[in-house]
Amino acid sequence: MARILTGTQSSGRQHLGNILGAIQPAIELSKDPKNESFLFIADLHSLTSIKDGKVINENTHATASAWLAMGLDTEKTVFYRQSDVPEVCELAWILNCFTPFPMLENAHSFKDKVSNLAEVSAGLFTYPVLMAADILLYDANLVPVGKDQKQHLEMTRDIAGAFNHRYPGTFILPESKISEETMTIPGIDGRKMSKSYNNYIDIFLPEKELRKKVMSIVTDAKTVEEPKNADSCIVYQIYSLVAGQDEDLEMRRNLEAGNYGYGTAKQVLFEKLMSAFAYEREKFNHFYIDRSKVENELKKGAEKARDVSGPVLARVRKNLGFNLK
Ligand code: ADP
Ligand code: TRP
């Protein structure tokens, strides 16, 4: 039995890239009865970039609604909000006191901002330590993350290793599961789909807005009549991720044959998104308008999470010999 744990920041709404690249694979992993899975929304981490708690709460609600709409089973997965488990802050502090300054100075998340130190908060600087606490607090064995988080996982292992060296047997050293091969879903401008580029497709948008978004996908200036290159066509690239094999081939043939305009291709993609995610769109709205239902799920998840975090923190205090209760 492996305990799998991962977190996602509540930095905005979840888009098609997040859904295909992170949410669906994590839900698949959680279905394996050999695994025990923990999934949380890292709202405390979001505070390093968003300074308005109300905005974070809104994002957390939309993020939780998206996970639940995509089929996360809260009976099988411990699904919670990071800030509902206060033990994580105490553990982060303890780990802070065991983390060498130069290690944090080396973190990409900090180095990216080093040219403007006035903008760097202590929270951003110690971001990797809170992440280590997120993981170590639950004795996680496996942490699936994107490539960009690899260094944070190495730091988690280093911090845990250093602590264990002094106080043996305190932490379980987690392995990372880096999804190198996960495809990068393109956004409407052809760059990686990302909240930070504002080029994303939010499949939970109302119909009219979703259509408008799809219609704004960038294409070249070829006329309706001209044959087109499917592989360099962003509309086709996105379509092929959600369409079946036959539909995929059909659009490719149509584009390559000519007399098939980008407007038509976009309409086909829009209709595909509407039909492929019809059930999930309905579920999203169901959760999104029912805040108390989502809150309830998160609270239940936090109780289960605290059943684990309490004893682990007690073990840390005991091994450290610190203020034993
Ligand atoms: P964003 O770039 O929108 O801020 P995040 O960095 O919060 O997204 O990523 C959350 C998760 O979604 C990560 O696991 C990441 O690998 C995945 N993800 C984000 N964008 C894409 C994309 N365009 N294609 C595939 N996976 C993605
Ligand atoms: N830093 C991660 C990200 O931005 C989110 C995160 C926070 C996380 N704590 C974690 C991921 C613990 C895995 C495990 O994507």
Side-chain angles (χ1 to χ4, degrees), residues 5-7 9 40 42 45 127 131 134-135 143 145 149:
L5 174 144
T6 197
Q9 282 203 55
F40 68 95
H45 275 111
Y127 181 111
M131 186 157 159
D134 285 329
I135 298 167
V143 184
V145 281
Q149 299 297 318

Short mmCIF file of all heavy atoms in Angstrom, two decimals, residues 5-7 9 40 42 45 127 131 134-135 143 145 149, ligand 2:
data_model
loop_
_atom_site.label_atom_id
_atom_site.label_comp_id
_atom_site.label_asym_id
_atom_site.label_seq_id
_atom_site.Cartn_x
_atom_site.Cartn_y
_atom_site.Cartn_z
N LEU A 5 0.29 11.45 -2.22
CA LEU A 5 -0.20 12.77 -1.80
C LEU A 5 0.20 13.82 -2.82
O LEU A 5 1.32 13.81 -3.32
CB LEU A 5 0.40 13.11 -0.43
CG LEU A 5 0.12 14.52 0.13
CD1 LEU A 5 -0.07 14.45 1.65
CD2 LEU A 5 1.24 15.50 -0.21
N THR A 6 -0.73 14.69 -3.14
CA THR A 6 -0.34 15.84 -3.95
C THR A 6 -1.21 17.05 -3.64
O THR A 6 -2.30 16.91 -3.07
CB THR A 6 -0.31 15.52 -5.46
OG1 THR A 6 0.44 16.54 -6.12
CG2 THR A 6 -1.69 15.42 -6.07
N GLY A 7 -0.68 18.21 -3.98
CA GLY A 7 -1.40 19.45 -3.69
C GLY A 7 -1.49 20.31 -4.93
O GLY A 7 -0.69 20.18 -5.86
N GLN A 9 -2.29 24.47 -6.06
CA GLN A 9 -2.54 25.82 -5.54
C GLN A 9 -3.90 26.33 -5.98
O GLN A 9 -4.40 25.93 -7.03
CB GLN A 9 -1.49 26.76 -6.10
CG GLN A 9 -0.17 26.64 -5.41
CD GLN A 9 0.64 27.92 -5.58
OE1 GLN A 9 0.21 29.00 -5.25
NE2 GLN A 9 1.84 27.75 -6.09
N PHE A 40 -4.92 17.83 -1.66
CA PHE A 40 -5.34 19.04 -0.96
C PHE A 40 -5.17 20.30 -1.80
O PHE A 40 -4.41 20.32 -2.77
CB PHE A 40 -4.58 19.18 0.37
CG PHE A 40 -3.12 19.46 0.19
CD1 PHE A 40 -2.64 20.76 0.22
CD2 PHE A 40 -2.22 18.43 0.00
CE1 PHE A 40 -1.29 21.03 0.04
CE2 PHE A 40 -0.87 18.68 -0.19
CZ PHE A 40 -0.41 19.98 -0.16
N ALA A 42 -3.81 23.91 -1.84
CA ALA A 42 -2.76 24.61 -1.09
C ALA A 42 -3.08 26.10 -1.02
O ALA A 42 -2.44 26.93 -1.67
CB ALA A 42 -1.40 24.35 -1.75
N HIS A 45 -0.20 28.31 0.41
CA HIS A 45 0.82 28.63 -0.60
C HIS A 45 0.34 29.75 -1.53
O HIS A 45 1.13 30.59 -1.96
CB HIS A 45 1.15 27.38 -1.43
CG HIS A 45 2.19 26.51 -0.81
ND1 HIS A 45 1.93 25.26 -0.30
CD2 HIS A 45 3.51 26.72 -0.60
CE1 HIS A 45 3.03 24.74 0.19
NE2 HIS A 45 4.01 25.60 0.02
N TYR A 127 8.68 29.03 0.98
CA TYR A 127 7.65 28.23 0.27
C TYR A 127 8.00 26.74 0.24
O TYR A 127 7.16 25.88 0.57
CB TYR A 127 7.53 28.81 -1.14
CG TYR A 127 6.53 28.20 -2.08
CD1 TYR A 127 5.40 28.90 -2.48
CD2 TYR A 127 6.71 26.92 -2.61
CE1 TYR A 127 4.48 28.36 -3.37
CE2 TYR A 127 5.80 26.37 -3.49
CZ TYR A 127 4.70 27.09 -3.87
OH TYR A 127 3.78 26.54 -4.74
N MET A 131 5.95 23.32 1.81
CA MET A 131 5.65 22.17 0.93
C MET A 131 6.21 20.88 1.54
O MET A 131 5.56 19.83 1.50
CB MET A 131 6.22 22.44 -0.46
CG MET A 131 5.83 21.39 -1.45
SD MET A 131 5.93 22.03 -3.13
CE MET A 131 6.07 20.47 -4.00
N ASP A 134 3.84 19.87 4.15
CA ASP A 134 2.63 19.27 3.55
C ASP A 134 2.80 17.78 3.34
O ASP A 134 1.86 17.00 3.48
CB ASP A 134 2.41 19.85 2.14
CG ASP A 134 1.86 21.25 2.14
OD1 ASP A 134 1.14 21.60 3.08
OD2 ASP A 134 2.17 22.00 1.19
N ILE A 135 4.01 17.42 2.92
CA ILE A 135 4.27 16.03 2.52
C ILE A 135 4.63 15.17 3.73
O ILE A 135 4.08 14.08 3.93
CB ILE A 135 5.42 16.01 1.48
CG1 ILE A 135 4.99 16.80 0.23
CG2 ILE A 135 5.83 14.59 1.15
CD1 ILE A 135 6.11 17.11 -0.74
N VAL A 143 4.76 11.25 -4.37
CA VAL A 143 4.20 12.58 -4.63
C VAL A 143 4.23 12.87 -6.14
O VAL A 143 5.28 13.19 -6.68
CB VAL A 143 4.99 13.67 -3.85
CG1 VAL A 143 4.35 15.03 -4.04
CG2 VAL A 143 5.07 13.32 -2.36
N VAL A 145 4.01 15.04 -9.20
CA VAL A 145 4.08 16.49 -9.48
C VAL A 145 4.62 16.72 -10.90
O VAL A 145 5.19 15.82 -11.51
CB VAL A 145 5.02 17.24 -8.50
CG1 VAL A 145 4.37 17.51 -7.17
CG2 VAL A 145 6.35 16.52 -8.34
N GLN A 149 8.20 21.09 -10.14
CA GLN A 149 8.21 20.89 -8.68
C GLN A 149 9.29 19.92 -8.22
O GLN A 149 9.39 19.61 -7.03
CB GLN A 149 6.84 20.36 -8.22
CG GLN A 149 5.68 21.31 -8.52
CD GLN A 149 5.83 22.63 -7.78
OE1 GLN A 149 6.20 22.67 -6.61
NE2 GLN A 149 5.56 23.72 -8.47
N1 TRP B 2 3.88 23.84 -5.08
C1 TRP B 2 2.92 23.03 -5.78
C2 TRP B 2 2.54 23.71 -7.11
O1 TRP B 2 2.65 24.90 -7.25
C3 TRP B 2 1.66 22.84 -4.95
C4 TRP B 2 1.97 22.09 -3.68
C5 TRP B 2 2.01 22.61 -2.43
C6 TRP B 2 2.28 20.71 -3.57
N2 TRP B 2 2.30 21.65 -1.50
C7 TRP B 2 2.49 20.47 -2.17
C8 TRP B 2 2.40 19.67 -4.48
C9 TRP B 2 2.83 19.19 -1.71
C10 TRP B 2 2.74 18.40 -4.00
C11 TRP B 2 2.95 18.16 -2.61
O2 TRP B 2 2.09 23.01 -8.01
#
